Amino acid sequence: MKILLFPGCKVPYYVPQYETASRLVLSKFNVEIEDLEFNCCGYPVRFLDFKSFIFSSARNIALAGKKGLPLVCLCKCCYGTLRYADLLLKQYEDLRKEINGLLKDDGLHYPDQVEIKHLLNVFYEDILPENIQKKNVRSFQTFKVAAHYGCHILRPHDVVHFDEPVNPNKFERLIEATGASGVDWPLRLQCCGDSLYGKNDVLAQELGEKKMRSAKEAGADLICVGCTHCQMQFDRIGTNLKDKGKTETVLPTILYPQLLGLSLGLEASALGIDKDTPGLKDLTV
Amino acid sequence: MVFSISLYAALILLGTGTGYKVFMWFRSGTGDSTESPSGGKRIKEAVKGIFVTFFSFKLFRLMKIWFWDVFIQKQIAREGFARWFMHFCIAYGFIFLLLMHALDRYVSQKLFSEYFSTLNPFLFLRNFFGAMMLLGLAMAAYRRIFNRVMRLTTRRMDIYALVVLALIALSGFFLEATKIVSHERYEEMVSEYSSISDEAEAGALRAYWAREFAVVFPKTPSTDTGSLSKGKEVHTLNCASCHSRPTAAFISYGLAKAISPSALVLSQKNVREFLRYFHFLVCFLGLALLPFTKFFHVLTSPLVLLVNGVMDRQKASPANVATVRAMELDACTHCASCSLHCSVEPIYRELSNITILPSEKLAAIISLPRLNGKLASFLPIIGEGNSICTNCYRCTDVCPVGIVLQDQWFHLDKDLTQQQCPEPFIRLRNDFTARFDSDRSKTLIPLTPSGKKFKQGVGLSSQGASFNNCFTCMTCSNACPVVTSYQYPKEKLGLLPHQIMYSLKFGIQDNVLGAGMVWDCLGCYNCQQNCPQGVRVTDIFFELKNRAFQKTRNDVVGLEVLGGRS
C-alpha cells in the first residue's frame, strides 16, 4: 500500500515524534509513504473566512489527486477539514468552478476522487487490528489506556468516517490490539479544548483538566491520542498542572503510533518517547 | 580626477551608511520593547559574545559555515540547482570582475606579474565573468516575471538590484566594444607603446589591425596579402606582447562587429567617454547606496548565517538575541523563498492581504519604524497577516540566509499586543460582545424582523438555513462542553446554542454575534451531531464568525499601500 502523508503544520516543529513514530510503524506494515509539499489544510481560518478554508483544502486535495494516492492525515483537525471541503466541493458545482479557477494558477484541477483518511483509518481498515495483534511482541496488559477519540474523526458523522459517533469502540480495539487494556471513561468523546487556546485560555485549560481527571478517575494509566492538537493540549495541561504543583493529577499521554511501536518491540527513543516522563517509564521497560 | 573624487565620495557614503546601519542594530528593538535592553548594554554583550565564540570550539563550526553556506552557498542549492546556479553566476561573476578587473591594480597586478588587461586570459575572463553575470541576471528576471508568487512579491528594490548590475555589465561590454573599433584609441596605443616611425609600417599595422582586431579606420587600409604579412610582423614586434586578439573578448568582439558599420560615428570620443563615465558612475552609485539597498545583503547575510549558526537563542543573552533580530532585518535578500514555501500562501489568494506572505510581512516589519503617523491604519493589516501564520517554521527552514523568521513573527505578535492591536479573532470577539444587549425587555424588536435577507444569504458553510428546523429541544445546549462547564452559562455566554438557532429562525440576528457562545465555540460538533432536527449548529457558528469578519474587514483600509492587491 502506498500513501501520501499529510503531517499538517504543527507536527514538524511541535510534535515531530508523531511523524517519526508514524513513519516507522507504517514501514513495519509495508505501507509506503510519499511526500509532497502541502499547504495549510484551512482549519485555522475556518472561523475567519469560508473561501480561504475551502481553497486551502482544495489545493491539498488537488495535489493528492494529481498523484492518485490516498491522503493520510496525522491531525484530526486537518482530516475533518479536508473531508468537509471535499464534500462541499463535490456537492456544489459553482463552488467547484470558482475553486478550479484558482487551482489553474498552480496547474491543478479539482480531482474526481481522492481518498482522504486519518492515520487511524489506515490502521483499522487497511492494516486491520488482527494483523497488528499478530506482530505484537510485548504485552502491556497491565496498562490501562484511555482512548481519546478526538472530535473530528467522529463528528459530524455525515462528513467524516471512522466509527459510530455516539458509541464508538474502534480506537479501543486498536489499543487492545497492541496488548494494552482499554478503559471506559465518561468524557472519552469530548473535545480536548485545544481550539480555544489563545482565544480563551482559562476555558481551554479547564476542559483539558476535566478530561484528564475523568480518565484518571476511571483508573487509566495513560491517555492515548491520535491527533496533533490533542497531544499539544495534553502536554500543555500537564505542564500547567505541574506548575501549579498538582503533579499527582497529571496523566501521561502517548500517541497511538508510539504505543503500537512499543508493542512491535521498537526502541522508545526511535519512537520519540521521552522515557523520563512519569508514567511512561514502565511502559518502555 | 572626477573618478577619484566620486570614488572617495562613494566610499565615504558606504562607510557612513554601514556605520549607521550597524549602530541601529544595537538601537532598534523589535519585539516587546520592555525586554530590549539599552544600546550600550547590547554592544557590551555583543563584544563578549563574539570574544567567547572565537575562543571556543564554535570557531570550527564558524569555519564550516563559512565554507559551505557563505562560500559554496549550499543552502541556496536546497531550492534547486537552477536557483543556486543563478545566484552563483551573479555573485561570483561580480566578485571575480571586482577583484580581477575593477581592483586590478591591487589584485591582478600583484598576483600576476605579466598582467595586462588586454592580454589573455584576462581579456577572455572579463567577458566570461560578465557573461556569467548577465546569464544569472536573465535567470533572475525570468523568475521574477514568470513565477506567480515572485511576480507578486517583486518590489522596486529587487528591480533596482537587477537593473544596476545589468547596467554595469552592459555598459562594460559596450565600452569595450567601442574601444575595439575605435581608431583613435588605436592611434593612442600606437604612439604610447610602439616605436613605429615609418609610414609604410604604420599602414601595414593598420591593415593588420583592421582585419584581425576589428578596428575601423576612416580610410579603409589596403587588404593585400603583402601589407597584411608585413603588418603581422610589425604587430609581433610592437604589440603582441601586451595585446591579444579581441576575439577572446567574445561578447565585446561580437558587439564590436555589430556596431562596426556605425563605428566612425560612435568612435568619436564623446560616446566612448560617455560610456566610460556611465560605467564608472553606476558602479560608484551602487557602492555608495549599498547599505540602503538590497546589495547590503552581501555583508549582512553571511554575518547572519554565521551568527545564527553558532547562537543558541535559548541560552544566549536576550540583548544579543535582540541585536541579531535587528540585524536579520538587514540580511533579508527578499528572494521570496519563504513565500514560495509558505503554508498559508493559498489564503493570501482569498484574502489579498500581502502581509500573509512571510517575505512581505518582514518587509512590513522593516518599514514599521518609518510609518509613524500611518501606523494605526497599518497595524490591523499586519496583525491580520501575522495571525494567519500557522507557525509551521517552514519559512525559517528554507531561508537561504538563515533568518529565524518564526522568531520575528512571535515578536511581531508581542509588539502588536503591546500596541493594543490584537489578532482578528480577539478584536472581533471584543467588539461584538461589547455590543451584546443583555436586557432585551428594553429593546424594541420589529414585528416583521429584518432577517429575511440574512436567511436567504446564508452561505454554504451552514448548508442552507437549517436553523429553520429548530424546535428548541435544547439538545445542542446540553451536549455543549462549553455550556456545561459553567455553573451559570447564560451569564458567561449571553445566549445558548438553542437560543441562537431559534433567534435565527425568526430572523432576529442583531444580538447573536454579541453572544459569547459564538466566540467560545470549540468547533467540536457535539451539538450538531446530536441535533434531532439536523440543524448544522457548529457550522452556523462558523458562518456567524465569518460574517463578523467580513463586516469589519471592509473597514480596514490601506491594503494597497503595503502592496496588497484586491
Side-chain angles (χ1 to χ4, degrees), chain B residues 116-128:
Chain B
F116 259 103
S117 64
T118 46
L119 268 183
N120 275 326
F122 310 106
L123 190 60
F124 162 75
L125 284 178
R126 209 164 44 235
N127 269 242
F128 179 74

Side-chain angles (χ1 to χ4, degrees), chain A residues 3-281:
Chain A
I3 61 158
L4 272 171
L5 193 68
F6 190 89
C9 292
K10 295 288 185 198
V11 160
Y13 195 80
Y14 294 94
V15 201
Q17 70 272 27
Y18 194 7
E19 192 177 340
T20 327
S22 301
R23 283 181 191 275
L24 194 57
V25 168
L26 286 173
S27 74
K28 298 288 167 203
F29 291 100
N30 299 321
V31 177
E32 232 185 287
I33 296 172
E34 257 203 60
D35 294 290
L36 282 180
E37 187 173 280
F38 290 108
N39 52 264
C40 166
C41 66
Y43 170 75
V45 286
R46 276 187 78 173
F47 75 88
L48 269 190
D49 185 58
F50 176 71
K51 290 274 175 62
S52 298
F53 134 58
I54 292 288
F55 177 54
S56 297
S57 277
R59 196 175 171 278
N60 291 317
I61 299 168
L63 281 169
K66 212 173 167 184
K67 277 270 172 196
L69 291 172
L71 194 55
V72 176
C73 307
L74 296 183
C75 174
K76 280 171 187 159
C77 300
C78 297
Y79 169 72
T81 304
L82 292 169
R83 293 284 306 209
Y84 217 144
D86 187 44
L87 187 83
L88 291 171
L89 283 161
K90 286 216 165 72
Q91 256 172 25
Y92 298 97
E93 212 192 321
D94 287 349
L95 183 66
R96 193 167 63 240
K97 259 191 201 152
E98 192 185 329
I99 293 298
N100 262 329
L102 286 167
L103 287 172
K104 227 170 129 184
D105 290 343
D106 294 335
L108 294 169
H109 186 266
Y110 201 77
D112 294 331
Q113 185 63 44
V114 171
E115 246 189 300
I116 302 164
K117 295 179 166 216
H118 182 264
L119 183 69
L120 294 187
N121 289 90
V122 175
F123 285 127
Y124 199 89
E125 290 150 22
D126 301 308
I127 294 171
L128 303 175
E130 45 272 37
N131 291 331
I132 290 174
Q133 211 153 11
K134 271 182 218 157
K135 288 215 176 196
N136 212 324
V137 297
R138 299 186 33 195
S139 175
F140 301 130
Q141 252 173 22
T142 50
F143 284 97
K144 289 190 174 167
V145 180
H148 170 77
Y149 271 82
C151 304
H152 301 123
I153 203 169
L154 296 175
R155 300 181 294 263
H157 192 51
D158 50 357
V159 178
V160 294
H161 296 275
F162 176 62
D163 205 348
E164 203 278 316
V166 180
N167 199 13
N169 65 16
K170 288 185 182 169
F171 196 15
E172 276 89 355
R173 288 188 54 197
L174 279 173
I175 287 171
E176 280 155 11
T178 69
S181 318
V183 187
D184 193 17
W185 55 305
L187 293 185
R188 69 191 182 118
L189 305 185
Q190 213 178 77
C191 177
C192 66
D194 179 83
S195 64
L196 278 184
Y197 184 71
K199 294 171 179 153
N200 186 342
D201 291 358
V202 177
L203 189 54
Q205 176 73 18
E206 207 175 293
L207 289 165
E209 274 183 33
K210 217 198 269 180
K211 280 211 77 155
M212 217 175 243
R213 210 162 40 234
S214 165
K216 188 135 197 161
E217 282 163 5
D221 295 310
L222 66 156
I223 299 175
C224 184
V225 299
C227 170
T228 318
H229 282 282
C230 301
Q231 176 67 35
M232 283 164 64
Q233 166 75 340
F234 285 124
D235 275 349
R236 199 182 294 128
I237 300 291
T239 314
N240 290 348
L241 280 173
K242 273 175 214 156
D243 288 350
K244 284 193 230 165
K246 295 187 196 165
T247 317
E248 71 289 346
T249 53
V250 180
L251 258 193
T253 326
I254 195 164
L255 286 150
Y256 182 72
Q258 292 180 319
L259 182 72
L260 177 52
L262 288 176
S263 87
L264 298 175
L266 296 169
E267 274 297 317
S269 56
L271 297 160
I273 298 172
D274 182 7
K275 282 188 197 170
D276 297 332
T277 311
L280 286 187
K281 203 173 176 182

Side-chain angles (χ1 to χ4, degrees), chain B residues 184-340:
Chain B
E184 286 161 331
R185 182 75 194 123
Y186 167 84
E187 302 297 353
E188 276 168 32
M189 284 194 292
V190 168
S191 65
E192 208 173 321
Y193 300 109
S194 77
S195 52
I196 304 167
S197 48
D198 176 12
E199 185 45 41
E201 274 188 356
L205 188 65
R206 250 182 243 131
Y208 184 73
W209 271 61
R211 195 183 146 118
E212 298 291 322
F213 283 66
V215 182
V216 180
F217 292 95
K219 220 167 77 191
T220 318
S222 73
T223 51
D224 62 283
T225 41
S227 48
L228 277 177
S229 64
K230 173 119 175 85
K232 193 175 178 182
E233 243 172 67
V234 179
H235 168 78
T236 318
L237 265 172
N238 288 286
C239 324
S241 62
C242 49
H243 209 310
S244 308
R245 268 194 76 199
T247 40
F250 53 99
I251 290 187
S252 305
Y253 187 73
L255 280 174
K257 279 288 182 197
I259 62 170
S260 64
S262 50
L264 290 175
V265 185
L266 288 169
S267 183
Q268 281 171 354
K269 218 173 169 184
N270 43 15
V271 174
R272 201 151 43 88
E273 276 298 277
F274 168 77
L275 281 171
R276 203 157 77 91
Y277 274 94
F278 187 81
H279 184 66
F280 275 78
L281 291 177
V282 174
C283 290
F284 296 159
L285 179 82
L287 196 64
L289 296 180
L290 183 136
F292 303 99
T293 59
K294 188 171 169 165
F295 296 126
F296 200 39
H297 87 268
V298 175
L299 305 173
T300 48
S301 300
L303 197 60
V304 164
L305 275 167
L306 291 167
V307 172
N308 279 338
V310 290
M311 188 173 186
D312 181 353
R313 292 197 180 210
Q314 305 289 321
K315 290 181 196 152
S317 91
N320 281 342
V321 179
T323 307
V324 174
R325 241 188 342 260
M327 203 197 279
E328 284 179 338
L329 298 181
D330 278 335
C332 174
T333 63
H334 203 242
C335 72
S337 294
C338 48
S339 295
L340 285 165

